Amino acid sequence: MLYHFAQRSVFTLIVLILSSFTIFVIVQLPPGGVPARPVGEPVYVQYLSWMNQIVTAGDFGWSRGWRKPVWDLIEERIILTAVISVSALLLTYVIAVPISIYSATHPYTWADTLFSTFGILGMATPNFLLALLALVFLSRTFGLSAGGLFSPEYLRGPWSIGKILDLISHLPLPVLIVGTASTASVIRVLRATLMDELERPYVKAARARGLSEIRLLLKYPVRMALNPVVSTVGTILPLIVSGSVITAIVLGLPTVGPLLVRAILEQDTYLAAAILLLLSILTIVGNALSDFLLAALDPRIRFINGGEVKSSALPSAPPTFSVLLPFSKKGKTMSKVPLLANDFVTVYESPNPAGAYCYTPGIIRLDSGRLVATMDLGGPEVDKLNPTQRFEHPRHPYTFVGKVFTSDDGGETWVHRVDFPVMHARPFLAGNRIYILGQANDLGILYSEDEGETWSQTFMLTEEEQWHQSACNVWYANDCVYLVMERRVSFDVKGWPVHEMAPVLLRGPVDADLTRRENWTFASELAFKDVIPDGVDLVGFPFWTPYETKGMSPMGWLETNVVQFVDPDHVWCDPTGHTFHLWMRAHTGGTGYAAIAKIVEQDDGSMTTELETVPSGQQVVYVPCPGGQMRFHVLYDEQMKIYWLLSSLSWDSMTHIDKLPPGRYNLPNNERQVLALHFSKNMMDWRMAGVVATGNSPKEARHYASMCFDGEDILVLSRSGDEKAKNAHDGNLITFHRVKDFRDLVY
């Protein structure tokens, strides 16, 4: 946009120079023109001398007819001309836009017919005729004199508060008369364009997604329909000025119009040239203004690398930014990636980045507007921080401690509330309580009944088991809360045990005491090892052998989200509302796939976990999912009937592990630097909304993020790192990001 502004400014200057030279030459063509230099002097020399006088001294020359400096003649008149013209222009849009919107949304009603008739008559009636009719009507009906801009006592006097108020009292009539034709023109153009826009498919699709009629109109078709109207600003403004010349004579208005007519008739060269130059400046600047207004109204118009880049049919696409990404070569950046929320607020920073790492951010919004965030701190040196609560991990020499924070100002500042002795927890609402469910080998849960001010002790839901999860999503249906935890069902794998994980859907009534095990229903278990013991031919999973990746763990699934399909046309929709689908991170060594399964609620209330089938009858485990190789988060927007996906994008998964650049963590597909937002109507076909945030180096991660809705915004809590982070996995920050107007990203 800045490049375009500079480019247009240069073009505007060139056009001004050419137009001023043309004007200077033309006004000297009539016989009797008085040259500024001897006759033998070239015209361009005369022009340069004239322009030098204007630019350096503000001297427009000498009026032969009036025998005084040109500027003295036009100074006050140009101010009055600008006041009337700008007032008429503003009045045009203030009246025309709401009338056009009403007419287009209520076509062929009596009001629309009335406004359309006004549009036709307003364009067909000359301004001077309106002026004459106004003079006759006011004088004969009320005995008033409607001419001029000042009362006699202020006509020759100096400017004062009284004179300004007197001018304002005289403005309505000339402004209404001068602005009538332009108002009528805009009404006709905008009404026709808006009616055409309202019939376009994207408007029908937006209505189907549940947008309110007012928001739909203002966000989409009105902005689109304004384009041809705004593009005429540059021509309407000078037409208002020049077209009101006779009107000004009829009403006795001291503007530049009557002065220009007299200068031309008397062949007053420099007076005519000065007025024409000012009018041309007005025209050129008006056109440049309309150009920039178009860019502001229609975000599809993007000025990148000197050209216009147009996006989708919806005018709500986010602006594009230059983003330095890990695959950018030195000195080069991506110029078209929508960067949605790279700025952040630090919720927590590790005091010991080398030995205490930030994990598992979770976030919810309360009805009061308060935000509640959770995270855990883990690492070999957490004990040195003297935590009040702690948990020792069974597979690592790590100590973990969970933390709760709240914010009452939209995430700008955060208050630490309490520590708790479970890890990888998530907050959720049920009844009048906020719960936090995580694991300390066994499942542990705590709650607050005062919006997070104080918290209960931690209650254990299981005994002598090993559970796993992250702060994935929570689903509400059938007056219950549904979420997934993962239980390790065997202990044959010596490394990362995702091969032995079974996702277990938990269901609890929202009005029950969920700290009691008997109030939860656990679905049956289906471990990955029982679905795919070894690998999958034709898909290429696992992608790497353990030797090539220095000990890649067996394939598995983990970090599960739960969804339902409510669209009756979806092939997996259950109209009874008792089927749930699990979307899981797929550990395969590859990228771009998630693992799935389904849960069916039985008549007796039990829940059965099984594989899903496609219409052909084939079972399916892997489905397309951007960033499905890493932990992701899914939300469902009831208003637009769209699923939102927050995930980490990979770029360099095909490079052999021995060739990875310094700073890369673990497997080639284990990239954590770019956090992206996608949307889908069916969880299979994804469109990218943009990059939420990105780090400046491979170890400055933005990953494992959770999100929640906040009105028109999406709030994101990310597991992050800066230059002090140990690596991409073991970061030192929990960061808060706000994606504004997320529904406008849909196309």
Side-chain angles (χ1 to χ4, degrees):
M1 190 69 178
L2 290 177
Y3 177 88
H4 174 74
F5 179 80
Q7 185 186 58
R8 295 289 179 172
S9 299
V10 172
F11 289 161
T12 300
L13 181 61
I14 294 173
V15 173
L16 280 173
I17 293 173
L18 293 176
S19 63
S20 63
F21 180 74
T22 303
I23 290 169
F24 183 80
V25 172
I26 290 177
V27 295
Q28 298 201 63
L29 292 179
V34 180
R37 292 288 181 270
V39 175
E41 200 167 70
V43 67
Y44 72 86
V45 174
Q46 300 178 41
Y47 165 75
L48 291 176
S49 176
W50 181 57
M51 288 301 297
N52 180 63
Q53 291 176 356
I54 293 175
V55 174
T56 59
D59 182 5
F60 286 85
W62 184 266
S63 170
R64 187 185 63 171
W66 294 80
R67 299 186 181 279
K68 61 192 306 186
V70 168
W71 182 247
D72 290 349
L73 288 171
I74 65 176
E75 180 179 9
E76 183 172 301
R77 290 174 179 264
I78 199 68
I79 294 174
L80 295 175
T81 300
V83 169
I84 294 174
S85 301
V86 173
S87 300
L89 183 67
L90 293 176
L91 183 69
T92 293
Y93 289 100
V94 168
I95 294 177
V97 170
I99 287 178
S100 302
I101 293 175
Y102 184 86
S103 292
T105 54
H106 300 78
Y108 313 116
T109 60
W110 68 268
D112 177 46
T113 302
L114 179 64
F115 294 141
S116 298
T117 303
F118 166 76
I120 295 173
L121 294 177
M123 293 180 64
T125 306
N127 285 346
F128 73 88
L129 180 58
L130 289 176
L132 287 172
L133 291 174
L135 287 175
V136 172
F137 175 76
L138 291 175
S139 61
R140 292 192 175 183
T141 305
F142 301 103
L144 300 176
S145 175
L149 286 178
F150 299 102
S151 301
E153 61 268 26
Y154 292 108
L155 188 60
R156 302 295 180 185
W159 283 99
S160 63
I161 299 296
K163 186 172 183 177
I164 294 174
L165 294 176
D166 183 62
L167 171 63
I168 294 174
S169 68
H170 284 77
L171 275 179
L173 181 62
V175 168
L176 284 172
I177 293 173
V178 171
T180 296
S182 58
T183 301
S185 175
V186 170
I187 287 175
R188 289 181 57 80
V189 172
L190 182 54
R191 175 187 178 274
T193 308
L194 185 55
M195 288 182 66
D196 179 66
E197 204 67 33
L198 287 171
E199 295 300 319
R200 293 186 178 273
Y202 79 84
V203 175
K204 297 177 182 178
R207 284 196 179 105
R209 291 195 296 265
L211 267 70
S212 66
E213 196 68 18
I214 294 179
R215 185 171 183 272
L216 185 150
L217 280 170
L218 297 180
K219 279 285 186 179
Y220 298 101
V222 168
R223 292 174 65 184
M224 294 293 295
L226 281 176
N227 288 357
V229 176
V230 171
S231 65
T232 62
V233 170
T235 54
I236 287 179
L237 187 56
L239 283 176
I240 287 176
V241 177
S242 59
S244 62
V245 170
I246 301 179
T247 303
I249 294 175
V250 173
L251 294 178
L253 306 180
T255 63
V256 296
L259 193 63
L260 175 61
V261 173
R262 178 172 175 178
I264 293 174
L265 293 176
E266 296 181 357
Q267 298 176 359
D268 197 336
T269 303
Y270 289 106
L271 179 58
I275 295 174
L276 289 173
L277 177 62
L278 292 174
L279 291 179
S280 67
I281 291 174
L282 194 61
T283 303
I284 294 167
V285 172
N287 276 294
L289 176 63
S290 66
D291 194 9
F292 290 116
L293 286 175
L294 275 176
L297 283 171
D298 189 353
R300 296 176 306 168
I301 301 174
R302 290 292 174 248
F303 307 100
I304 300 174
N305 299 326
E308 293 185 359
V309 180
K310 296 186 178 181
S311 65
S312 65
L314 287 179
S316 57
T320 55
F321 300 84
S322 294
V323 186
L324 184 62
L325 295 178
F327 45 85
S328 301
K329 294 184 178 180
K330 186 175 182 180
K332 297 183 178 180
T333 61
M334 293 182 62
S335 60
K336 301 178 183 178
V337 176
L339 188 56
L340 305 175
N342 207 40
D343 294 336
F344 60 84
V345 173
T346 299
V347 179
Y348 183 82
E349 180 174 3
S350 171
N352 182 3
Y357 319 126
C358 296
Y359 296 128
T360 324
I363 186 169
I364 58 172
R365 181 191 183 276
L366 309 184
D367 290 340
S368 65
R370 168 171 283 190
L371 306 180
V372 179
T374 58
M375 50 97 46
D376 51 74
L377 194 65
E381 299 183 11
V382 170
D383 278 337
K384 294 181 179 179
L385 303 177
N386 299 316
T388 58
Q389 305 272 354
R390 60 192 298 278
F391 158 66
E392 292 184 1
H393 195 281
R395 291 190 296 110
H396 301 288
Y398 283 11
T399 295
F400 282 84
V401 54
K403 292 181 176 292
V404 180
F405 299 85
T406 63
S407 174
D408 293 315
D409 55 9
E412 292 297 318
T413 59
W414 295 84
V415 177
H416 175 235
R417 294 297 181 181
V418 74
D419 291 347
F420 55 88
V422 295
M423 61 185 288
H424 300 355
R426 86 195 83 178
F428 65 92
L429 293 168
N432 62 350
R433 288 180 172 181
I434 308 170
Y435 288 96
I436 297 175
L437 176 65
Q439 51 94 358
N441 287 347
D442 286 296
L443 299 181
I445 189 169
L446 61 154
Y447 68 89
S448 171
E449 293 182 325
D450 55 8
E451 296 201 327
E453 297 281 337
T454 59
W455 291 83
S456 71
Q457 68 181 73
T458 301
F459 300 87
M460 306 311 294
L461 298 179
T462 62
E463 185 177 352
E464 296 185 355
E465 295 178 341
Q466 282 198 16
W467 290 81
H468 178 270
Q469 237 298 21
S470 185
C472 295
N473 76 341
V474 176
W475 194 269
Y476 295 89
N478 309 320
D479 295 323
C480 292
V481 57
Y482 296 81
L483 52 85
V484 180
M485 300 297 291
E486 299 140 8
R487 193 175 79 87
R488 186 175 183 180
V489 299
S490 61
F491 296 86
D492 299 323
V493 175
K494 302 304 179 185
W496 198 31
V498 294
H499 189 67
E500 302 170 329
M501 293 289 187
V504 180
L505 182 65
L506 278 61
R507 180 187 67 216
V510 293
D511 58 354
D513 180 0
L514 298 182
T515 64
R516 301 177 64 86
R517 171 64 180 85
E518 60 267 25
N519 289 329
W520 288 96
T521 300
F522 286 37
S524 64
E525 297 176 353
L526 181 64
F528 187 88
K529 70 183 183 66
D530 298 324
V531 176
I532 304 178
D534 299 312
V536 183
D537 283 337
L538 303 181
V539 182
F541 296 158
F543 192 85
W544 302 96
T545 67
Y547 171 76
E548 288 174 312
T549 53
K550 301 179 181 178
M552 173 180 167
S553 298
M555 293 196 308
W557 52 23
L558 68 156
E559 296 163 352
T560 310
N561 291 267
V562 56
V563 299
Q564 281 186 299
F565 297 116
V566 295
D567 179 2
D569 295 331
H570 197 292
V571 296
W572 290 336
C573 176
D574 175 6
T576 69
H578 292 291
T579 298
F580 299 82
H581 285 80
L582 310 184
W583 244 253
M584 298 169 277
R585 173 183 174 183
H587 172 59
T588 65
T591 65
Y593 287 90
I596 70 167
K598 74 174 180 179
I599 311 292
V600 179
E601 289 182 312
Q602 307 300 324
D603 293 340
D604 62 0
S606 63
M607 299 187 292
T608 304
T609 306
E610 56 192 67
L611 294 182
E612 183 57 273
T613 57
V614 296
S616 68
Q618 294 290 322
Q619 290 184 322
V620 59
V621 174
Y622 295 110
V623 295
C625 181
Q629 73 280 356
M630 295 293 296
R631 189 271 215 206
F632 54 87
H633 195 103
V634 175
L635 286 181
Y636 181 68
D637 178 22
E638 292 278 358
Q639 179 173 323
M640 298 189 73
K641 312 300 181 187
I642 283 179
Y643 301 90
W644 291 87
L645 170 71
L646 186 64
S647 60
S648 299
L649 297 187
S650 61
W651 173 256
D652 194 27
S653 67
M654 295 300 290
T655 298
H656 198 281
I657 190 169
D658 294 332
K659 304 293 180 62
L660 291 177
R664 285 284 296 278
Y665 175 80
N666 200 262
L667 306 182
N669 70 338
N670 211 311
E671 295 175 83
R672 302 162 180 259
Q673 186 182 351
V674 179
L675 186 64
L677 188 66
H678 291 75
F679 59 90
S680 171
K681 67 175 184 178
N682 55 27
M683 289 293 291
M684 298 288 280
D685 306 308
W686 294 99
R687 291 181 176 180
M688 185 179 186
V691 171
V692 175
T694 177
N696 295 322
S697 68
K699 77 172 184 176
E700 297 180 43
R702 303 289 186 270
H703 67 133
Y704 264 70
S706 295
M707 59 178 172
C708 68
F709 296 132
D710 182 15
E712 296 299 312
D713 300 345
I714 284 180
L715 310 182
V716 174
L717 202 63
S718 171
R719 179 173 148 189
S720 303
D722 58 19
E723 68 280 356
K724 298 190 291 293
K726 179 183 177 182
N727 53 50
H729 181 275
D730 302 320
N732 62 318
L733 302 174
I734 298 295
T735 56
F736 172 82
H737 309 253
R738 180 180 288 272
V739 178
K740 296 183 178 179
D741 298 319
F742 72 96
R743 294 185 179 95
D744 291 346
L745 303 176
V746 176
Y747 53 92

